[in-house]
Amino acid sequence: MSNDQQGITGDQWRQAKLIWDYHQMRHELRPVNVAIGLGSHDLGVAAHSAELYRSGLFPTLVFTGGNSPTTAEVFPRGEAVHFREHAIDLGVPAEAILLEPNATNTGQNITLSREVLAAAGITPKSVLLVSKPYMERRSFATARKLWPDVEVLCASEPLEFDDYVKSIGDEKLVLDMLVGDLQRVIEYPRLGFAIEQEVPEDVHAAYESLIRNGFTSRLIAS
């Protein structure tokens, strides 16, 4: 791993790995009523959703997501549309997939997917959220806030931290994203967007250290 070329030290790498580990819920997967694939820049979400569908964990899959500044060029017709096409290419029947093409944030991913399911006559009691690896905890906290009567499980592509960074190809950007998602885990509960999540002291210290060291491009004003 060529940390040095982007000025990432060994300590910063270890701090990032702590945050990476914290973001993942490590839920034991079991059959659920529906899965929701959360749109993003990471087509691995669609691939992993397809794999989980083929394993028989759920009969219905929703892909949700419009566009953001980081995905408009890669997925010009919208995240959910491209994810759906990729899943069909990987063997998921088109009739098993519902499309939610408008969401622009995680709260909308949940709320609008729920509306799409209701329109299809589906009122699930259990939902599997499939996301980027470092987005599991935030998606869980958001769904528990906005959809409290549903059992929520989380999954993501089973990649080690180093392998995920290599797949994205920009080490600093990944660290920035890890920090940005943790900020949202910390800040969103008081804004009413998510339930509270306990953040261990070592994870919080790693977060503050990475902010001091300039990994801030994905922070929101708080």
Side-chain angles (χ1 to χ4, degrees):
M1 185 60 63
S2 55
N3 303 346
D4 291 342
Q5 72 181 36
Q6 294 194 27
I8 296 172
T9 68
D11 277 346
Q12 289 165 351
W13 202 253
R14 285 187 289 274
Q15 290 161 354
K17 178 68 164 55
L18 265 180
I19 296 172
W20 166 270
D21 289 344
Y22 171 72
H23 279 313
Q24 296 183 59
M25 302 297 292
R26 293 180 176 75
H27 285 158
E28 184 175 343
L29 299 188
R30 54 187 176 277
V32 294
N33 299 137
V34 302
I36 300 175
L38 303 176
S40 69
H41 61 82
D42 186 351
L43 202 57
V45 173
H48 195 52
S49 297
E51 181 180 341
L52 295 174
Y53 174 85
R54 294 195 308 269
S55 73
L57 281 179
F58 45 84
T60 303
L61 172 60
V62 181
F63 283 121
T64 169
N67 267 136
S68 71
T70 57
T71 63
E73 189 174 325
V74 185
F75 303 132
R77 285 169 291 118
E79 298 157 4
V81 171
H82 285 267
F83 279 25
R84 176 183 181 274
E85 292 170 352
H86 191 54
I88 291 171
D89 287 344
L90 294 172
V92 180
E95 59 270 21
I97 303 175
L98 298 174
L99 194 64
E100 187 297 293
N102 299 313
T104 59
N105 59 53
T106 309
Q108 290 179 4
N109 286 144
I110 303 301
T111 301
L112 298 180
S113 293
R114 186 178 182 177
E115 293 176 2
V116 166
L117 286 162
I122 300 171
T123 306
K125 294 183 178 178
S126 55
V127 172
L128 176 64
L129 301 178
V130 186
S131 69
K132 299 169 289 191
Y134 63 83
M135 196 180 161
E136 281 193 30
R137 187 171 295 275
R138 179 159 67 90
S139 62
F140 173 80
T142 303
R144 292 291 297 121
K145 178 69 176 184
L146 299 177
W147 209 352
D149 52 338
V150 165
E151 179 189 10
V152 178
L153 297 176
C154 295
S156 62
E157 204 173 6
L159 290 173
E160 295 296 331
F161 179 50
D162 285 16
D163 293 330
Y164 184 78
V165 174
K166 288 176 185 174
S167 77
I168 298 300
D170 185 330
E171 297 163 1
K172 184 180 186 303
L173 176 62
V174 173
L175 270 64
D176 285 351
M177 292 190 295
L178 291 174
V179 169
D181 253 58
L182 183 48
Q183 181 200 32
R184 288 158 175 79
V185 168
I186 294 167
E187 298 289 344
Y188 277 4
R190 69 178 179 83
L191 299 174
F193 298 160
I195 65 166
E196 195 84 36
Q197 298 284 285
E198 182 180 352
V199 181
E201 286 185 15
D202 59 345
V203 174
H204 205 282
Y207 163 74
E208 291 180 334
S209 177
L210 289 175
I211 288 175
R212 286 194 301 271
N213 283 281
F215 295 91
T216 57
S217 75
R218 294 303 167 120
L219 293 182
I220 54 169
S222 59

